[in-house]
Amino acid sequence: MRDEPGGAAPARTDLTADCAQCFGLCCVALPFAASADFAIDKAAGSPCRNLTADFGCGIHTRLRQRGFNGCTVYDCFGAGQKVSQLTFGGEDWRSGDREHSRLMFDVFHAMRQLQELLWYLTQALELPAARPVHPGLRRALDRTEALTRLERKELAGLDVTPVRQDVDVLLLRTSELARAGLGRGRKKERRGADLMGARLRGADLRGANLRGAYLIAADLTGADLRSADLIGADLRDADLTDADLTDALFLTQPQLNAAKGSAGTRLPASFTRPAHWTP
């Protein structure tokens, strides 16, 4: 289900996971521990017991019911298919020895980070208020895209940290430009704030700086989050019922998937309303 236009969201299809073109990399490369998000323990590099021979998920339509909420939240931003089809040219992790599979998983870890940066940069370039930094954003996007096309061994050994730091400077400036005049006041500067379980029902959070804020299980029912910077904000189990996120900055699909919401929650264009939200 899609919502009305009004918010900036990247239109690039290569930044959206296409599991049909991937070799189940997230189901093998990533580790997880038995918890509220996962029903079992799984080591990195070990296939999930639900992974089928054709790289599908045997319980895809019942993940939440079977205790795999974490799988419904995860998104690789298109890294899976890019590694599978571009970097490795259609070779899957089972087609070689252990070194081959380890190399593929290492590339996947680096690629996922780069694809996430491309998502943010693409979103920033769609903000008219950020025009003063558009040239820098475009250069950063081109550099980051070039990195995703490195040879497999170069990608596996790539240190993404300095790349992320350079991009973050641009994204921070983008955020400041987009929120100018909207987020004034100390109450709206909540970068990295501990707001777990906070009662923010109906709160005016337009233009708020919520970068990296902990909003786990926060009550944001009916809250106004237009132009709020949500990059890195933890929205697990946050209640977004009837909240307005029409043009929230740097919002991602995984954040929405981790939260609760309703048919009345207003989302930016091109985002998908999670299936588990209240109809």
Side-chain angles (χ1 to χ4, degrees):
M1 176 177 180
R2 303 291 180 178
D3 288 283
E4 68 276 8
R12 289 178 47 167
T13 57
D14 63 318
L15 299 180
T16 302
D18 182 355
C19 298
Q21 297 299 314
C22 177
F23 299 128
L25 293 179
C26 65
C27 304
V28 186
L30 305 179
F32 50 74
S35 62
D37 292 321
F38 297 101
I40 59 173
D41 291 321
K42 190 192 84 65
S46 174
C48 174
R49 68 185 186 190
N50 299 310
L51 184 67
T52 60
D54 62 352
F55 305 111
C57 175
I59 60 169
H60 180 70
T61 60
R62 307 185 307 280
L63 283 166
R64 285 184 171 268
Q65 296 91 321
R66 298 289 292 273
F68 289 86
N69 289 12
C71 296
T72 68
V73 172
Y74 182 80
D75 194 306
C76 72
F77 296 97
Q81 68 260 26
K82 203 163 191 176
V83 172
S84 299
Q85 304 302 330
L86 178 64
T87 314
F88 281 81
E91 300 174 21
D92 69 62
W93 48 272
R94 300 177 306 190
S95 62
D97 56 18
R98 190 170 181 179
E99 183 178 345
H100 169 81
S101 61
R102 187 182 298 114
L103 178 64
M104 196 169 193
F105 300 152
D106 288 344
V107 170
F108 175 68
H109 286 302
M111 185 72 80
R112 199 273 181 188
Q113 295 180 69
L114 294 172
Q115 290 289 107
E116 183 180 15
L117 292 178
L118 289 174
W119 169 275
Y120 290 134
L121 288 165
T122 301
Q123 195 176 59
L125 280 165
E126 293 182 352
L127 296 172
R131 272 198 193 91
V133 291
H134 276 187
L137 289 167
R138 289 193 189 94
R139 287 193 295 271
L141 187 143
D142 290 343
R143 286 195 299 268
T144 306
E145 180 65 47
L147 290 174
T148 69
R149 298 179 180 279
L150 290 174
E151 294 297 322
R152 55 186 72 173
K153 289 188 177 180
E154 290 181 282
L155 266 169
L158 181 66
D159 182 2
V160 184
T161 301
V163 183
R164 185 178 292 277
Q165 290 172 340
D166 290 343
V167 170
D168 192 54
V169 172
L170 289 166
L171 297 181
L172 184 57
R173 180 56 182 153
T174 296
S175 174
E176 292 170 347
L177 290 168
R179 295 183 299 110
L182 292 172
R184 293 177 181 174
R186 188 176 63 182
K187 290 184 178 180
K188 291 191 178 181
E189 287 299 320
R190 308 307 301 271
R191 183 175 184 176
D194 183 353
L195 297 171
M196 291 193 292
R199 298 177 181 177
L200 297 168
R201 180 182 289 258
D204 180 4
L205 295 169
R206 287 174 298 173
N209 184 358
L210 294 167
R211 293 169 67 91
Y214 296 94
L215 288 158
I216 302 169
D219 183 1
L220 290 160
T221 302
D224 191 343
L225 289 156
R226 287 175 294 172
S227 295
D229 186 343
L230 294 173
I231 193 168
D234 193 336
L235 294 174
R236 282 177 294 169
D237 291 324
D239 193 345
L240 297 173
T241 298
D242 297 334
D244 191 348
L245 296 93
T246 302
D247 58 357
L249 304 176
F250 305 124
L251 180 68
T252 65
Q253 190 65 48
Q255 286 175 307
L256 293 177
N257 294 346
K260 301 174 183 178
S262 68
T265 305
R266 300 186 66 186
L267 302 177
S270 300
F271 280 82
T272 301
R273 192 177 302 275
H276 67 277
W277 281 16
T278 305

